[in-house]
Amino acid sequence: MLQQSLPMMVDEITRFDQVKLQDKELIYTYTIINAASTDYDKQLFKDEAKKILVDGCGTTVDLGYLKFGGSYTFSYFGIDELLIADISISESDCF
């Protein structure tokens, strides 16, 4: 199970901390380990990260899960444990 292997580094600065299911929403929680939340323009971070996630539909997110009414939220926190952005991906983002 994925949760048992967490936390794990996904790149040099991003730690994957948690995955949980809440209703039909899969929530992935990440920490940017080299910067505080205040180091980011939060709207710019959200916009740029969403572009990357949507471009990855089919690899980053499971299209089958979306087709059955599921959704994803990717939550990013700074090393200060404060939220940088919540990015939601639904079926309409990928189709």
Side-chain angles (χ1 to χ4, degrees):
M1 174 166 232
L2 180 60
Q3 183 66 29
Q4 294 171 343
S5 62
L6 300 178
M8 73 160 89
M9 296 301 294
V10 294
D11 61 29
E12 299 83 26
I13 65 166
T14 311
R15 186 181 67 221
F16 184 10
D17 295 314
Q18 181 181 39
V19 60
K20 65 181 176 179
L21 179 63
Q22 184 174 315
D23 298 318
K24 290 184 177 183
E25 179 183 25
L26 276 169
I27 303 168
Y28 291 81
T29 304
Y30 297 90
T31 299
I32 307 298
I33 63 164
N34 69 342
S37 62
T38 55
D39 294 336
Y40 289 94
D41 176 321
K42 293 179 181 184
Q43 189 60 52
L44 180 63
F45 182 98
K46 183 175 185 173
D47 293 345
E48 293 299 314
K50 184 156 187 167
K51 285 181 199 173
I52 292 166
L53 292 167
V54 168
D55 285 347
C57 283
T59 54
T60 307
V61 299
D62 179 359
L63 297 177
Y65 186 71
L66 293 175
K67 285 182 181 180
F68 287 104
S71 65
Y72 290 84
T73 296
F74 297 86
S75 297
Y76 291 87
F77 291 83
I79 195 66
D80 56 1
E81 300 181 0
L82 298 175
L83 183 68
I84 298 169
D86 281 327
I87 301 146
S88 296
I89 305 291
S90 63
E91 183 177 12
S92 63
D93 293 310
C94 294
F95 297 101

